[in-house]
Amino acid sequence: SRSVRWDLEFSPMNRFRALTAALSLVGIVTFFATSSQAYSTFGKWASTSVPFYLNPQNSSVSADDAEKPFRTALDVWSDATRSPFSYSYGGRIDDTSLGYDGRNVAVFRTDADASEIARTYVWSLNGTIIDADIVFSDVRRTFFTGTSGCEEAGEGGYIEDIGAHELGHALGLLDSRVIGATMAADAPPCSQSQRTLDADD
């Protein structure tokens, strides 16, 4: 099976930067370049409807306040007028670890060495995605919800936007260089542009 990992990282200048996607298979690492004009993919799910689960425990907002924007992020990709694919919400879980287990989970973790605000792991076999997990880095970052609060803090992001971007990777999309796209490789801190699909997405 194949495993892909994306990192959405804060640079020293407080800007989000998506690092290069890496695909490893039998010890060989292949790097994919991002498209400069249109979306690109590395794989796809066998089904057009995939469930995602969430452990909403974090140090920034209440569990209820984390769950609602994550569901909003799921809905970004489930709008039938914009996307033929849909996510469903599987419910809350207590998981704190990730792995190839057939259950797609998103968790907040306080990994001390994490430099990115979120990371997505995807396992695929012969181009078919079979599992995906997302980690929101709950250390040295503050998560916000809705449309206010983040700008005053300066070093954080909205769960709706970060979640939508990472769920795009879980869907099989690589980063895009199209400014304003949900899958844009760069977005400023506190951006609210990624919670709405762009034509490129």
Side-chain angles (χ1 to χ4, degrees), residues 44-126:
K44 63 186 247 181
W45 291 90
S47 172
T48 57
S49 179
V50 173
F52 236 97
Y53 299 82
L54 173 70
N55 182 339
Q57 299 301 321
N58 69 91
S59 63
S60 298
V61 298
S62 71
D64 288 342
D65 287 342
E67 183 176 41
K68 183 178 178 184
F70 184 73
R71 293 183 75 164
T72 297
L74 290 169
D75 291 343
V76 165
W77 295 103
S78 302
D79 179 352
T81 64
R82 307 291 311 255
S83 169
F85 183 85
S86 67
Y87 282 115
S88 61
Y89 182 55
R92 290 189 187 188
I93 54 168
D94 294 327
D95 300 32
T96 56
S97 61
L98 311 175
Y100 171 52
D101 58 7
R103 184 159 77 161
N104 312 305
V105 302
V107 301
F108 293 82
R109 283 203 322 215
T110 54
D111 297 338
D113 62 345
S115 62
E116 68 283 347
I117 196 165
R119 178 182 291 177
T120 295
Y121 296 86
V122 174
W123 291 265
S124 66
L125 182 62
N126 298 324

